[in-house]
Each structure stands twice: as C-alpha cells, then as structure tokens.
Amino acid sequence: MFSSQMFVLVAVGFLETLYMTIISTAMAYIVGLPLGMILAVTDKDGISPNVPINKILGGIVNVLRSVPFVILLVLVMPLTRAIVGTSIGSSATIVPLVIASAPFVARMVESSAKEVDRGVIEASLSMGASTFEIVRKVMLPEAKPSLIVGAAIATTTILGYSAMSGFVGGGGLGTIAINYGYYRSRTDVMLIMVVVLVLIVQVFQEVGNIISRRCDKRIS
Amino acid sequence: MSEAAIIRIENLNKTFGNGGNAVVALDDINLSVKQGEVFGIIGLSGAGKSTLVRCINLLEKPTTGNVIFDGKDITLLSDRELRDVRQSIGMIFQGFNLLMQRTALENICFPLELAGVSRKEAKQRAREMLNTVGLAEKENAYPAQLSGGQKQRVAIARALATRPKVLLCDEATSALDPTTTQSILSLLKDLNKKLGLTVIIITHEMKVIEQICNRVAIIDNSHIEEIGTVDDVFRHPKTQAAKKLIFPRGEMTKSIAKGGKYLRIVFDGNSSDQPVIANMVLECGEPVNIVFANTKDIDGKAYGHMIIQIPDDPVIYHKITLYLDLEKITYAEENYDV
C-alpha cells in the first residue's frame, strides 16, 4: 500500500500544507500584530485609551472570530477568486486562512501585550517615552517570549484550518485525507495524514516553546 | 542648597471618577521643593502620596491646580513638550520597573535612546552611571540575575542617565530589607550632595525621612497636614497625623497600666550620650515606666524619643519636669490613654 506514488502524494501534500501554513501565518501576523497592538494600546486601561477605535476594531475581530472556518471558506470564495483567480488549491486557501486567523492572532498579540508589567510602562512614560516608542521599545521586546509562544499556537491552529480546507479542495494533507480517506474509504491513508499532521503540530509547538524559553531573560 | 524652588505645587486637586463615585485623592495641595534639597512626603497607605508624586511629572493629570517645574507651568504643556520635561525628572519605584529583557547596561541606555543620544555615547554614559552606583561589574547581567538592592541601583542609574534635575522616589526602599534600605538611602544622599540633585522621597516609613530628608511634608487623608524641617516636625509634631507617624501605636507597649501621666522626652545630639533617664530617676527618687523608646542617627547627630509614664501625682510631676527643665531637655506632656 505504500507505493512510491503514495510517497510522492504525501510529500507534495506535506509541502503544500507547510506552504499554506507558513505564508498564511506570516500574512496573518502582518495584519494581526499591529491590530493586536492597537487593541492593547487603545484599551481603556491602555497607554493611549481610545474607546471608539477600540470598540470598532474589537467588534470586527469578534465578528470574524465567531464565523466558523468552514463557513468562512465558502463565504469568501468570490473574494478568493477575485484575488487569486481560482477558489481551489493551496494558494487560494491562503485568503480565507488569513481572514480567519488575523483576528485570532490580533487577540493573542493583545493578550501578550497586556501581560507586560504596568510598572515598566509607567517607568518608560516617566522617562518621556511616546506611545509609539513604548510599543516598539517596551511592549514588543518585553512581550517577546509570550508572543513567540502565541505564534506557535497560531501556527498550529492555522495548520488545523488548512487541513479543514481539504473539504473544498484546499490542497495539502487535508485534501489527501479527505479525497482518499473519506471519499475512497482508505482509512490507512487518512491515518497516515493524521499522524503527519500531529507530528508537524508537535514540531511547531516544541520549536516555539524552545525559542521562547531561549530568548526569555527572566529565567537565567 | 539654594532657596530657589525647583518645584512648586499650587492649589492642586485630584479627583478620580466623577459624579457620585468621585474619590478625592488630593485636596488643595500647596508645597514647594527647593533646589538641591531632599524633600520627604510621608503618609500612611491611601493618604494620596503616590498620586501626589505622579502629579509632579504628570503621570497623573491634576484635576485642577498647577505644577511649576523650573519656572515653567508644566500643566500647560503639549504632550510633546511634556515628554521633554520628563527627561529632566527622573523617577524610581518600589517595584524597580526594569526592562526584564534588557541587561543592566541596556536598561540604562534606554532613556538615552529616548533622548536621541547615539548608541556609542549612550553606552559610555551608561557605564559611567553603573560606576556611580557601584555596579560596574554587572553591566551584562539581566534584572532577574540581580538582587533587590542591585536592581534599585540600576533603576537609579537609569533614572539619572539623562542628568535630570530632580529624582522622584516612590516608596523606593519599601521592598528592600533594612540593610539594603540603608545602602540605597546613603547612595541617594551621596548623589544629592555630589550632583546637587533634588530628591523627592515618598514613603510611609519615618526612618527613611529621618535618615536623609531635609524637609518633610506629612500627608493624611488627601491633605498636607504639616510641612517643616525634619528636625522640627520630629521634635514638635503639631498635628495628630504627624504624631501617628512618629509613634505608631503598634510599637507602643500595650500593657500600660491605667492612669499616670505621659511625658515625651526628646533627645538631641547633646543628650543622647548621657544616661538621662537613669540620672533623672536617681535625682528625683521616683519610679518611671518607659513606654516607648526610639533613638537613631540623623545627619551625624543622635536623635530620639522616649515616652515615659510617671505616677499621677502633681508633686512627682513637678519634680521630674523641674529636673528636665534644669537639664535643658525638651519634653512635652502627651496623652496616650488607650
């Protein structure tokens, strides 16, 4: 059953999954990181409270987060087609992945940023730091270990979403699992895909944890 | 110490919240701090002292009133101008508030980066400051690797890196053990003398005030109750709030026999090396009960208080006060009935 054909299939699926996950995570952070920082800064207890902005952005984030991913996948298909030209394949899946995960990333970033000791921020204000300087020189570096753990969690979540996109021909390991395992009842193929996915999640999570611990100077 | 005021606080009020939930944190505060002095603000927790110190660099915006720093009313400044002024007012905290992901040296570089000093110059200045606070060998240590006292030294070096004129200390020694407290206080006194730095100290501990302050303001219930030289306030506390801080009730013997009179005897540099009480007892031939005693070294001279209980008899009272008058010992009758 493990023909070389099957091996190629798994290898391609693996690479497609990695491609979708990494690109989507990166793009989700391009949007989610600033968004999360704005949410933390404009919070009523933040360094530059701004209730309207916080409420509007928070509302958008909440709405997007409450749409189940499978439904979002179908909902954004017209947009996907407009951007990528097609709604199937791994490149097309990146669009809904980013839309679904950017708000999630924003919330993770916001929560990491809020963990930064209020006293340190107050000390920076007392030294004449501006809001932007505090974000760049205090909140981001001080929250770095927590942000990295968050990134590992976000990556694995996005990986899970990417597998879900297999139902609508999203490409990658998820598509193989569904096409072979579900439609052709090849339970063995499904199991192999599950094992590979589990391994990838383990590796991402563990690598994230190690990097986070390495860069955290609070523990000597 | 010159007479010019570096900081003047005028008619300052601070209220948190509004409407029915409003809480008055500061009520009509007026005080001025002279250039080059060590000024203490003491009060029990909740008195408003931390809010007051935050109003000096406007971390807390006063509801009404003015804060004049170096001749400029800083409550009128734009955010940008205020950030510049803050670089001339250093601040240290009870919790040190160091950047945990930066080394000691990088922490001290931080305010210099904000001030736009080049990386190379900042490092050089930071090393100088580490030397000043006696931590030259710890430049690459992270805060997590330093003791409380060392962290506060780094915080002091960081606060002074931009050569501010004033250093605000918010309960800066409250998290430290007594020995470390001593060494941090003497460092502050040293910097005050060497650099002519004006130091404002917020504390709830009288011993901190006694040790390094020139003048003290006593704050209680959002009000300034008393301002004066430490010597004056210490010897002749006028208000109940001052007395409460100088003789915390908890420290007095609880099992005082009812009745009798209480005399507070003040020791100064001249009398504390003499066996005053023993001489008095021998001379007058009357028994006294020592209820509270506290002596310490302030500014190189010994000061202290003692509260004695004497029998409730006008003759004995007269005999003892006469003796104290003759010996030129300051005393006052106190009412400490529980």
Side-chain angles (χ1 to χ4, degrees), chain A residues 119 122 137 142 216-218, chain B residues 54 97 100-101 113 144:
Chain A
E122 191 180 38
K137 286 176 175 284
E142 290 292 300
D216 192 353
K217 307 303 183 190
R218 283 172 298 184
Chain B
R54 279 165 179 71
N97 296 349
M100 299 304 282
Q101 308 292 347
E113 285 168 29

Side-chain angles (χ1 to χ4, degrees), chain A residues 48-70:
Chain A
S48 183
N50 188 325
V51 177
I53 289 187
N54 192 272
K55 283 265 184 286
I56 292 167
L57 292 179
I60 294 171
V61 165
N62 288 344
V63 167
L64 284 174
R65 286 206 58 203
S66 45
V67 180
F69 182 65
V70 248

Side-chain angles (χ1 to χ4, degrees), chain A residues 116-131 133-134 136-146 215-220, chain B residues 54 57 59-60 82-84 86-87 89-91 93 95-102 107 110-111 113-115 119 142-145 158-159 170:
Chain A
V116 174
D117 183 7
R118 185 67 221 177
V120 177
I121 291 170
E122 191 180 38
S124 314
L125 285 170
S126 82
M127 288 180 256
S130 64
T131 303
E133 282 169 327
I134 288 179
R136 198 167 57 92
K137 286 176 175 284
V138 182
M139 291 170 87
L140 286 175
E142 290 292 300
K144 196 162 82 179
S146 163
C215 80
D216 192 353
K217 307 303 183 190
R218 283 172 298 184
I219 15 180
S220 34
Chain B
R54 279 165 179 71
N57 59 4
L59 282 178
E60 219 47 274
L82 179 61
R83 288 202 293 272
D84 286 341
R86 281 185 181 153
Q87 293 179 354
I89 307 176
M91 187 167 184
F93 305 83
F96 321 123
N97 296 349
L98 297 174
L99 294 154
M100 299 304 282
Q101 308 292 347
R102 284 186 177 222
N107 260 287
F110 180 59
E113 285 168 29
L114 296 176
R119 191 162 280 263
Y142 286 94
Q145 299 163 315
R158 183 176 70 172
D170 182 23

Side-chain angles (χ1 to χ4, degrees), chain B residues 183-199:
Chain B
S183 77
I184 293 292
L185 290 178
S186 40
L187 172 65
L188 289 174
K189 188 81 197 170
D190 225 43
L191 293 167
N192 162 258
K193 283 190 181 140
K194 262 197 275 185
L195 311 172
L197 179 74
T198 308
V199 182

Side-chain angles (χ1 to χ4, degrees), chain A residues 166-208:
Chain A
F167 264 115
V168 290
L173 297 171
T175 301
I176 299 172
I178 283 157
N179 286 351
Y180 288 80
Y182 184 62
Y183 294 126
R184 299 184 200 173
S185 299
R186 287 282 301 271
T187 313
D188 55 339
V189 179
M190 180 122 78
L191 283 176
I192 292 169
M193 297 309 133
V194 170
V195 169
V196 175
L197 283 170
V198 166
L199 287 177
I200 302 176
V201 168
Q202 294 290 338
V203 168
F204 275 140
Q205 192 62 59
E206 199 45 42
V207 167

